[in-house]
Amino acid sequence: MPSPHSAHSAAHRTKDTPHGAAPDGRHPRTAAATPVRTCTVFAGLSALLLVAVALAWSPLMSFDRAVVDSLHDSAVAEPTFTQVNRVLTDWVWDPWTMRLLAAAAFVWLWLRGERVLGVWVAVTTAVGAVLQQGVKALVGRERPQWPDPVDSAHYAAFPSGHAMTAVVTCGLLLWLCRRRGATGRTWAWCVAAAGVSAAGVGFTRLYLGVHWPSDVVGGWLLGVCVVALAVASYRRVALSRGH
């Protein structure tokens, strides 16, 4: 049985913890610092990769070509495994599947009365989609071309929309899980599911020959930027509202 002193201490901590604090009890301003740094780092990496792709940097182009050539040979030789990848990329990890998950999170939050957070998730998802299409239009990179394609895709190649959408959605869901107090084994399973989804969809896009490796990496990097910015800005809004 806890002592009266420990109970009083716990109550005191609960009372003194701001409503808008991070799940680990940090003040919103302190908690927002890490996402801001993350966004800055990944934005810089995204910019470097974008410049390398736009300038057709030879070492990167050679690497991209070598990887997709090898995977395409395997895709042509293994039709059953190729079909599995098509199902995964078109149904399990399709951007619209990811957006439906984000929409479900929005509805859940709205019904729970956490409407600002729900709107934040919806707006972040929309911003990610707009940013993705904007960068595609800006860079205008051609997709790999094959005499014997195993799949097809639309729009420009960089960044991979599948990869970016998966990271944005999974990142937002991880954030919500953390806010709800997910720890230990539950948190480990959540992180594993998100990691498998992000890595898995990236692999399917490469294996099916519709993206270059740098497209997938670009999608991952931009996705992290969007989520980190969303988390940091939400925490700052919580602070400014005095919660």
Side-chain angles (χ1 to χ4, degrees):
M1 177 181 295
S3 67
H5 176 71
S6 62
H8 174 75
S9 299
H12 182 72
R13 286 194 301 270
T14 301
K15 182 179 178 181
D16 288 348
T17 300
H19 177 72
D24 57 7
R26 291 177 297 166
H27 193 274
R29 189 183 300 279
T30 303
T34 298
V36 168
R37 288 193 293 266
T38 300
C39 183
T40 301
V41 170
F42 278 80
L45 294 174
S46 299
L48 288 174
L49 182 58
L50 188 152
V51 170
V53 169
L55 297 179
W57 187 45
S58 180
L60 179 62
M61 299 300 104
S62 297
F63 173 78
D64 278 353
R65 173 52 69 182
V67 171
V68 297
D69 281 349
S70 176
L71 289 175
H72 182 70
D73 289 343
S74 175
V76 171
E78 302 289 343
T80 301
F81 187 56
T82 299
Q83 185 59 32
V84 169
N85 278 271
R86 292 190 66 175
V87 171
L88 289 173
T89 204
D90 290 341
W91 294 98
V92 179
W93 294 317
D94 181 75
W96 284 107
T97 303
M98 296 291 107
R99 289 168 189 145
L100 283 175
L101 289 175
F106 165 75
V107 171
W108 179 71
L109 290 166
W110 188 273
L111 294 177
R112 287 180 56 85
E114 299 182 74
R115 296 183 175 181
V116 173
L117 183 57
V119 169
W120 219 266
V121 169
V123 170
T124 301
T125 301
V127 167
V130 171
L131 176 62
Q132 168 205 131
Q133 292 300 320
V135 176
K136 281 180 178 290
L138 175 67
V139 178
R141 189 184 196 186
E142 292 282 339
R143 292 179 183 267
Q145 301 294 320
W146 309 104
D148 50 353
V150 298
D151 202 357
S152 61
H154 306 291
Y155 308 113
F158 184 90
S160 166
H162 280 68
M164 183 173 174
T165 305
V167 169
V168 170
T169 302
C170 291
L172 289 172
L173 293 179
L174 282 177
W175 176 42
L176 296 178
C177 288
R178 199 61 163 174
R179 286 181 56 85
R180 302 304 301 172
T183 57
R185 184 172 296 180
T186 300
W187 176 246
W189 277 109
C190 291
V191 172
V196 168
S197 296
V201 74
F203 176 80
T204 64
R205 306 310 284 165
L206 297 178
Y207 194 80
L208 295 172
V210 293
H211 274 294
W212 309 98
S214 51
D215 300 337
V216 172
V217 174
W220 288 337
L221 294 175
L222 286 171
V224 172
C225 286
V226 170
V227 174
L229 184 60
V231 172
S233 57
Y234 180 82
R235 289 175 178 172
R236 290 187 180 276
V237 167
L239 175 64
S240 67
R241 295 177 66 186
H243 288 184

